[in-house]
Amino acid sequence: MARRSPAKVIGGRLLQALPVILLATFMVFSLLKLVPGDIAVTLAGDNATDARIEEIRKVYGLDRPFLVQYGTWLGNAVQGDLSQSLLSGEKVATSISRAFPNTLLIVSIALLLALATGIPMGIVAAIKPNGWVDKTVSMVASLGVAIPGFWLAMILVAEISLKLNWLPATGAKSFAVSPLEAIRHALLPGIAIAAYGMAEVARQLRGSLLEVLSSQYVRTLHAKGLSMTRILWQHGLKNVSVNLFTIISLLVNRMLAATVVIEAVFAIPGLGSLIVRGAIQRDFPIVQGVVFTMVIVVIMVNLIADLLCAAVDPRIEQ
Amino acid sequence: MTREKMWTTRREAMALLSGAVAGVAFGGDVRAQGTPKRGGILRISAPTNPSSLDPATGGAGSDHAFLFTMYDTLTEWDFETLKPKPGLAESWSFSDPTTFVLNIRPGVTFHDGTPLDAEAVKFNLERNKSDPKSNIKADLATMASASVTGPMQVTLKLNALDAALPGILSDRAGMMVSPTALKASAAGNVARTPVGAGAYTFVSWADGEKIVIKRNEKYWKPNRPYPDGIEFAIIPELTTGVRSVTAGQNDLIYQLPPRQKVVVERSKDLKVFNGPTLYVFQIFLNWAKPPFDDIRVRKAFNMAIDRESFVKAALAGLAEPAYMNLPKSHWAYDKSVAALTPYDPAQARKLLAEANFKEGTTIDLVGYPDQDSVQRQEILIEQLRKAGISVRFLNAPIAEASAAFFGAEKRGSGLLAAWTGRPDPSLTYSLMFTKDAYYNGGRGAVPPELEAAIKESRASEDVQIRTKAFATVQRLVMENAFVAPLAFQFELVAMNKKVQGYRPNLLGKPKYDDVWLES
């Protein structure tokens, strides 16, 4: 079977992404318009009369038909203009380019931590299933899944920032300006999000490793006299890596979603805080812009995961 | 805890406890805390991103905490009583009932060097009155025209005598923006590039993240401001904001809810300030539809509420029970009105019986779904139940709830919300208790004598006549029970020991005029 070139694959996938972006932004736009509450009231200020609110709708073009408003937004977005916040007037692209690195840093740290702890845990648990190591790992993993991230976050702040004063309690620093400070600020939120990821990676890896290790070819490898270490590293992990890539891609998406809460706890001006502010104030250009960015990120992550899976397992038809 | 412990010094406690002690010297508090020093950056945790940094186009009451630092106003107010006092205008007078003369302080310039003269003031007032994006047109409704009658004198022609003007000019409408900056701006506003004549000049604003301002070296008030600059970190989550102060990343946090009092008091490194404000929790009533179209039901509803207990249970005691829309320390407060709304569940039951209001009929009220609001609702439900009134809260986020209650939908019979202070009480009353006012949810009719009294309260500059007119207004509002005021929330501000010279004010919107930092 002839394999298509990676470039073609990527191009094809990006093309498929277009309807997804269109649908996602349209749905979010519709939801924002369906939900009661109106940015015109906010824009009109404290002393507003009905007439004034009507006037504001006209001034800001909020009285135009729903589809016209969406069309205008889309038309601008296609030309690379995500327009600006209705309230503060800041360009949405500016807000996003400032917020995105903060979110990206937290998610990266969380992912690294989750993998660095989850993978060894999964492996040691799978080597001797039902042994005490396995049981301990299971318990830790259950805790990781059960503990809400925001609670863990507050405990971490209370102990590590307020009591011990090791890491800052709130805020974010730019990675480009001072990488070390940026990481110090992102570490606690990263840990708070990583707990769930660690548990997920450990459990899934244990499960798939057990399946592989109990398969017939592994028995053959044992019979050939291969050591457990070699079987594990050369055959076991390679075979579960497809699962692992899938888990990671799902995890990244989940972690992105988790930032909405965690960023509020740590006062981090990232994408999560941005979309919350936009949604509460019905400032739809902001919400649309963030959704647009998130959809692209999710699609990219899934694409990379698929490409990696195909790279390690040629059976996967691209 | 004793009352006195809430204030850092006894002196301040005195100044606050009796609003009448307006004679406490301007620098009195400051001296009690040591000699003010220049320098340092004041780091503030702010709860909301401003809606705009242009006073004319912005809309949120929370914007003032930023605007006041960059824009000076034509008049200012006394911290304790909100009486207007000179600001950028050295003096003002009504030369006849419809002519208002403002004498502008000489030698003041905007941050961009533009002189702040009569031309600049006229330009600003006209813009505020007629720019399509201006949100403060209504504030200047009585101004027919503004003209320059001297290099430092502006004369306003009015449609009618408006004694509220000096108060109005201490707020958004009196914030002066550089005309040069306005003319140069593409959008016709300076929402993101504010240029005023205030104590601090604008440096940067990253939405939802940070606002940085630095000292205006040419500021007209001697030796002010003390800090080199202010950095506002925008932290909407208040518990997080408090943590940023306890952890030393910020110096001060304002607009804390009462439930944070115990939290901030637990920290030895923080000092806590509080004082009464005009911010009042209240239930807006829709008196255009049943059951509140019956005055007896409205009265019974008001009498069923035990405000003293409400303050203790819902607001940690950090509030003043409200029997009208003005707190005790306000200059126009009228003591006799407070007696009109006693806590009397038995009388409430009697009134309900007279009105043929069947016990157990559920009244739908609109409210907000956050933790604090729900707690307030639970207390009220219980209090009202004792008088045989069963209420149910239909909760929705603030924007939705307000739109549903005040807008076309007319959801519910009442809305448990709050009313923020206005610089002149006439605004508060005309915005809620006139026939077509937006905050008269049902647009229900009001007695002609109430509308007349509201008009009259603006029609004289004589404080005594005004006070009398307001007494009539307050009495008529409470006699008709058009609203159920609950409690005036105290301003709650926490800061570390470095911060000196902070004073709460009755408006409840922080001003940092005399704040300085100990190194």
Side-chain angles (χ1 to χ4, degrees):
Chain A
M1 188 168 14
R3 295 185 65 174
R4 289 188 291 160
S5 73
K8 260 194 178 161
V9 175
I10 297 174
R13 286 299 290 271
L14 289 181
L15 219 61
Q16 285 171 23
L18 280 180
V20 177
I21 295 176
L22 217 60
L23 202 69
T25 53
F26 182 74
M27 274 172 59
V28 170
F29 191 81
S30 322
L31 280 176
L32 274 183
K33 289 284 164 184
L34 281 175
V35 173
D38 187 348
I39 192 170
V41 178
T42 319
L43 280 168
D46 284 345
N47 299 5
T49 57
D50 290 354
R52 175 66 189 147
I53 292 170
E54 265 318 303
E55 197 179 84
I56 282 281
R57 285 207 181 91
K58 279 210 181 69
V59 173
Y60 288 87
L62 298 167
D63 57 339
R64 295 170 304 164
F66 168 77
L67 281 177
V68 175
Q69 289 188 48
Y70 177 71
T72 313
W73 177 84
L74 191 67
N76 289 333
V78 167
Q79 294 166 43
D81 177 12
L82 289 177
S83 68
Q84 56 204 23
S85 157
L86 285 176
L87 274 178
S88 72
E90 184 172 66
K91 283 214 170 306
V92 172
T94 312
S95 308
I96 290 177
S97 59
R98 202 177 50 234
F100 189 47
N102 292 335
T103 303
L104 193 65
L105 184 63
I106 303 174
V107 171
S108 310
I109 288 180
L111 189 66
L112 277 177
L113 288 174
L115 293 178
T117 51
I119 292 179
M121 276 167 67
I123 293 175
V124 294
I127 289 175
K128 274 219 175 96
N130 296 321
W132 66 270
V133 177
D134 183 22
K135 282 184 178 145
T136 317
V137 167
S138 277
M139 199 187 72
V140 173
S142 302
L143 273 179
V145 172
I147 291 176
F150 67 88
W151 181 83
L152 181 64
M154 287 195 267
I155 297 297
L156 286 171
V157 171
E159 291 301 318
I160 296 179
S161 306
L162 298 184
K163 224 180 243 171
L164 300 169
N165 223 344
W166 288 349
L167 290 169
T170 55
K173 285 270 158 24
S174 159
F175 190 78
V177 178
S178 51
L180 204 68
E181 267 305 296
I183 292 174
R184 266 170 54 82
H185 278 81
L187 210 51
L188 286 185
I191 294 172
I193 301 181
Y196 174 83
M198 169 200 76
E200 191 68 22
V201 169
R203 280 157 45 119
Q204 297 282 354
L205 192 65
R206 174 186 177 273
S208 12
L209 256 184
L210 275 181
E211 204 183 307
V212 171
L213 292 181
S214 62
S215 63
Q216 301 222 344
Y217 78 89
V218 171
R219 213 185 314 159
T220 314
L221 292 172
H222 272 299
K224 271 169 66 179
L226 249 63
S227 72
M228 186 63 192
T229 332
R230 272 192 77 177
I231 294 176
L232 193 67
W233 290 103
Q234 278 198 343
H235 300 275
L237 282 180
K238 193 171 174 191
N239 272 306
V240 297
S241 56
V242 171
N243 282 0
L244 197 61
F245 290 139
T246 314
I247 298 168
I248 293 175
S249 70
L250 290 174
L251 213 54
V252 170
N253 301 342
R254 257 196 106 115
M255 285 173 167
L256 274 175
T259 56
V260 170
V261 173
I262 295 298
E263 283 178 2
V265 175
F266 287 95
I268 291 165
L271 284 186
S273 337
L274 192 60
I275 198 169
V276 169
R277 179 160 53 87
I280 288 177
Q281 297 175 327
R282 309 281 190 268
D283 199 341
F284 60 83
I286 290 188
V287 180
Q288 293 286 84
V290 177
V291 168
F292 186 73
T293 315
M294 291 265 198
V295 169
I296 289 176
V297 170
V298 168
I299 287 170
M300 293 308 282
V301 167
N302 290 349
L303 178 64
I304 293 169
D306 286 358
L307 290 173
L308 284 173
C309 286
V312 293
D313 187 350
R315 286 172 306 175
I316 294 176
E317 169 59 36
Q318 294 188 330
Chain B
M1 102 160 325
T2 60
R3 262 200 101 159
E4 237 174 57
K5 220 176 140 194
M6 294 176 198
W7 291 284
T8 37
T9 66
R10 236 188 120 243
R11 189 96 182 237
E12 284 172 43
M14 298 272 293
L16 281 170
L17 283 174
S18 78
V21 193
V24 172
F26 189 55
D29 307 333
V30 178
R31 261 197 309 279
Q33 293 170 332
T35 324
K37 266 198 277 290
R38 271 166 94 93
I41 300 287
L42 175 64
R43 299 160 309 162
I44 297 175
S45 169
T48 29
N49 195 44
S51 67
S52 156
L53 290 178
D54 187 318
T57 63
S62 47
D63 293 350
H64 291 69
F66 309 98
L67 296 175
F68 279 140
T69 61
M70 288 175 266
Y71 296 101
D72 266 19
T73 42
L74 288 173
T75 64
E76 296 180 7
W77 30 251
D78 182 75
F79 272 54
E80 286 90 18
T81 62
L82 288 187
K83 265 204 191 114
K85 63 177 195 182
L88 290 173
E90 272 182 322
S91 64
W92 59 84
S93 61
F94 287 90
S95 62
D96 67 67
T98 55
T99 312
F100 183 63
V101 182
L102 282 160
N103 296 308
I104 311 304
R105 189 177 297 278
V108 181
T109 56
F110 289 103
H111 300 152
D112 60 2
T114 310
L116 199 158
D117 53 13
E119 283 294 346
V121 172
K122 171 179 143 78
F123 182 89
N124 269 279
L125 292 177
E126 282 176 349
R127 168 179 185 249
N128 293 345
K129 164 105 184 160
S130 55
D131 189 284
K133 283 196 177 175
S134 164
N135 275 336
I136 44 180
K137 289 182 208 174
D139 289 6
L140 296 173
T142 50
M143 179 181 108
S145 68
S147 52
V148 173
T149 44
M152 286 300 171
Q153 191 184 67
V154 179
T155 302
L156 310 188
K157 276 278 164 216
L158 311 177
N159 309 324
L161 197 150
D162 187 359
L165 265 181
I168 288 171
L169 295 179
S170 70
D171 210 81
R172 282 182 186 274
M175 292 183 186
M176 294 293 109
V177 186
S178 159
T180 318
L182 281 172
K183 284 173 195 155
S185 70
N189 66 56
V190 290
R192 302 203 63 84
T193 48
V195 183
Y200 295 90
T201 62
F202 174 76
V203 177
S204 65
W205 174 17
D207 259 26
E209 186 175 339
K210 190 164 249 184
I211 291 180
V212 181
I213 53 179
K214 63 170 202 264
R215 183 200 287 127
N216 170 10
E217 299 291 351
K218 291 185 181 146
Y219 191 49
W220 60 275
K221 285 185 193 168
N223 292 323
R224 300 291 194 289
Y226 297 117
D228 292 335
I230 302 181
E231 284 182 22
F232 295 96
I234 296 153
I235 307 182
E237 193 52 45
L238 284 169
T239 28
T240 307
V242 170
R243 278 203 295 273
S244 79
V245 179
T246 358
Q249 288 175 303
N250 284 313
D251 299 313
L252 181 148
I253 180 164
Y254 61 95
Q255 235 175 60
L256 286 173
R259 101 184 112 81
Q260 289 287 347
K261 182 172 166 252
V262 274
V263 180
V264 288
E265 278 174 354
R266 213 182 294 144
S267 171
K268 289 187 300 291
D269 305 326
L270 297 187
K271 49 183 182 178
V272 182
F273 283 70
N274 62 48
T277 71
L278 294 183
Y279 185 94
V280 60
F281 288 108
Q282 64 178 30
I283 304 171
F284 292 82
L285 304 178
N286 182 338
W287 65 85
K289 68 175 194 185
F292 290 136
D293 55 347
D294 189 319
I295 183 174
R296 291 168 296 193
V297 181
R298 298 199 296 269
K299 276 193 161 165
F301 187 80
N302 254 302
M303 284 182 174
I305 298 168
D306 179 359
R307 292 166 169 81
E308 304 271 347
S309 308
F310 179 81
V311 165
K312 279 193 205 119
L315 299 165
L318 279 183
E320 176 187 318
Y323 299 93
M324 67 192 92
N325 282 88
L326 292 174
K328 280 181 193 155
S329 49
H330 196 277
W331 62 268
Y333 175 81
D334 183 57
K335 206 164 68 190
S336 65
V337 179
L340 290 173
T341 318
Y343 169 54
D344 191 344
Q347 179 64 19
R349 275 178 187 277
K350 235 176 91 192
L351 282 169
L352 289 175
E354 279 171 30
N356 286 325
F357 182 86
K358 274 233 297 287
E359 182 159 353
T361 315
T362 302
I363 301 180
D364 280 339
L365 302 178
V366 182
Y368 306 146
D370 64 283
Q371 185 191 342
D372 293 310
S373 301
V374 170
Q375 194 198 7
R376 291 191 279 271
Q377 293 165 10
E378 284 164 356
I379 292 163
L380 287 169
I381 290 173
E382 184 55 24
Q383 292 191 352
L384 291 162
R385 197 183 54 81
K386 282 184 190 154
I389 303 172
S390 129
V391 295
R392 180 174 66 167
F393 277 93
L394 313 168
N395 285 345
I398 297 184
E400 179 190 342
S402 317
F405 182 78
F406 296 116
E409 191 190 325
K410 308 287 170 226
R411 187 189 300 171
S413 303
L415 168 73
L416 172 56
W419 182 255
T420 56
R422 296 295 189 278
D424 191 274
S426 62
L427 299 174
T428 291
Y429 289 109
S430 59
L431 287 165
M432 284 190 280
F433 307 115
T434 47
K435 170 84 177 72
D436 294 314
Y438 184 68
Y439 293 101
N440 169 356
R443 312 290 186 276
V446 295
E449 59 267 35
L450 176 55
E451 297 230 9
I454 292 173
K455 272 211 187 88
E456 204 189 309
S457 74
R458 283 177 94 143
S460 166
E461 52 170 324
D462 185 314
V463 172
Q464 272 170 355
I465 297 176
R466 295 201 75 201
T467 311
K468 234 179 100 189
F470 280 122
T472 314
V473 174
Q474 289 163 47
R475 207 190 66 242
L476 287 168
V477 167
M478 289 322 292
E479 271 176 3
N480 285 287
F482 283 140
V483 63
L486 301 170
F488 294 97
Q489 188 173 29
F490 280 11
E491 176 186 5
L492 184 60
V493 182
M495 64 201 77
N496 62 32
K497 301 252 156 82
K498 259 168 57 186
V499 184
Q500 307 291 336
Y502 182 82
R503 290 184 297 152
N505 66 67
L506 191 54
L507 194 64
K509 297 174 179 176
K511 263 195 187 182
Y512 306 104
D513 286 12
D514 303 322
V515 171
W516 57 281
L517 295 164
E518 219 157 48
S519 40

